[in-house]
Amino acid sequence: MILGGALFWKASLSGYLRGQLSGIENHVRSNMSAAHLGSTDDEVVTSMIDHARVGSLTVDFENPDRTVKEKRISVRDHFSGTVEIDGVSVIKSFQFSGHEPLFDLRPNSYDTAPPHGIVSRGRVAIGYEGRNDPDEIKSAIADQEAQLKKYLDWSKAEVDTHDQSLPRLLKAAVERRRQALIELSKLNDF
């Protein structure tokens, strides 16, 4: 049995990214005041870009932690119902960097078999519990790792496209905010 819940499946990544884009105007309005009128638009954008950037997930597949433990597991058969047998729990985990909630967001490209795993404390773990069948276990873990890599690539492509559009969108919002602040300052002498 594969461990963990479906990754990249709970909500739409594109919906999340659209929400981020719709917040640009409010972010600029909240963070750009008349004090910024002495700075260039590019300087203001540079000061805001890191906060606006989502950034893709990066997983260190080269240095996994592996855990193999004996474990009593429940299995069902057609004659006895559920019985407890000796089995194994095998977990392979990888350190990651990036915004952890991205593991919950389904990219525009996806298939009907998302990877399953557990995300916690900067690590993503894939695993298997069941009978001690090394070939089956290795195959199941390899399949989950391949799916994880595929979904990470799909997510990265979408997030990177979003992040590349930010300087242009932020600059346009900064220009609009600058104009609004200039118009507002014209009221200072009434």
Side-chain angles (χ1 to χ4, degrees), residues 57-66 92-98 103 122-125 145 148-149 152:
L57 292 165
T58 304
V59 176
D60 182 7
F61 287 104
E62 300 300 317
N63 298 297
D65 283 347
R66 295 175 177 92
K92 190 174 185 181
S93 72
F94 311 93
Q95 188 169 6
F96 74 87
S97 60
F103 281 106
R123 299 195 73 80
V124 58
E145 188 172 340
L148 179 60
K149 287 177 180 178
L152 283 165

Side-chain angles (χ1 to χ4, degrees), residues 30-41:
S30 308
N31 292 289
M32 184 177 175
S33 66
H36 290 93
L37 292 176
S39 302
T40 67
D41 290 348

Side-chain angles (χ1 to χ4, degrees), residues 13-186:
L13 176 58
S14 61
Y16 171 78
L17 296 175
R18 276 192 306 275
Q20 295 294 311
L21 291 177
S22 70
I24 287 177
E25 291 291 333
N26 285 337
H27 177 74
V28 170
R29 189 177 303 111
S30 308
N31 292 289
M32 184 177 175
S33 66
H36 290 93
L37 292 176
S39 302
T40 67
D41 290 348
D42 289 335
E43 290 170 335
V44 176
V45 168
T46 299
S47 72
M48 294 182 177
I49 193 78
D50 285 338
H51 183 74
R53 193 173 280 129
V54 173
S56 55
L57 292 165
T58 304
V59 176
D60 182 7
F61 287 104
E62 300 300 317
N63 298 297
D65 283 347
R66 295 175 177 92
T67 305
V68 178
K69 296 180 194 173
E70 291 180 306
K71 182 174 183 176
R72 296 289 290 171
I73 58 169
S74 297
V75 295
R76 290 185 56 101
D77 67 24
H78 298 292
F79 306 105
S80 309
T82 303
V83 295
E84 292 279 319
I85 65 167
D86 289 331
V88 293
S89 173
V90 179
I91 297 173
K92 190 174 185 181
S93 72
F94 311 93
Q95 188 169 6
F96 74 87
S97 60
H99 191 53
E100 184 175 310
L102 290 175
F103 281 106
D104 290 332
L105 302 174
R106 184 180 54 257
N108 283 336
S109 297
Y110 63 92
D111 57 27
T112 58
H116 284 67
I118 300 164
V119 179
S120 177
R121 294 187 224 144
R123 299 195 73 80
V124 58
I126 54 178
Y128 180 91
E129 284 184 355
R131 298 175 195 270
N132 189 3
D133 182 341
D135 291 336
E136 181 181 335
I137 293 169
K138 287 178 183 179
S139 175
I141 299 272
D143 290 347
Q144 289 301 302
E145 188 172 340
Q147 282 297 96
L148 179 60
K149 287 177 180 178
K150 183 167 50 170
Y151 271 76
L152 283 165
D153 287 344
W154 286 336
S155 177
K156 179 178 176 21
E158 201 168 329
V159 169
D160 288 353
T161 298
H162 166 271
D163 285 352
Q164 289 167 3
S165 72
L166 287 175
R168 175 181 52 81
L169 296 171
L170 269 173
K171 186 164 185 169
V174 165
E175 289 169 354
R176 287 188 293 276
R177 178 66 177 154
R178 178 179 302 281
Q179 193 58 43
L181 289 170
I182 289 170
E183 292 299 317
L184 189 62
S185 71
K186 291 178 182 177

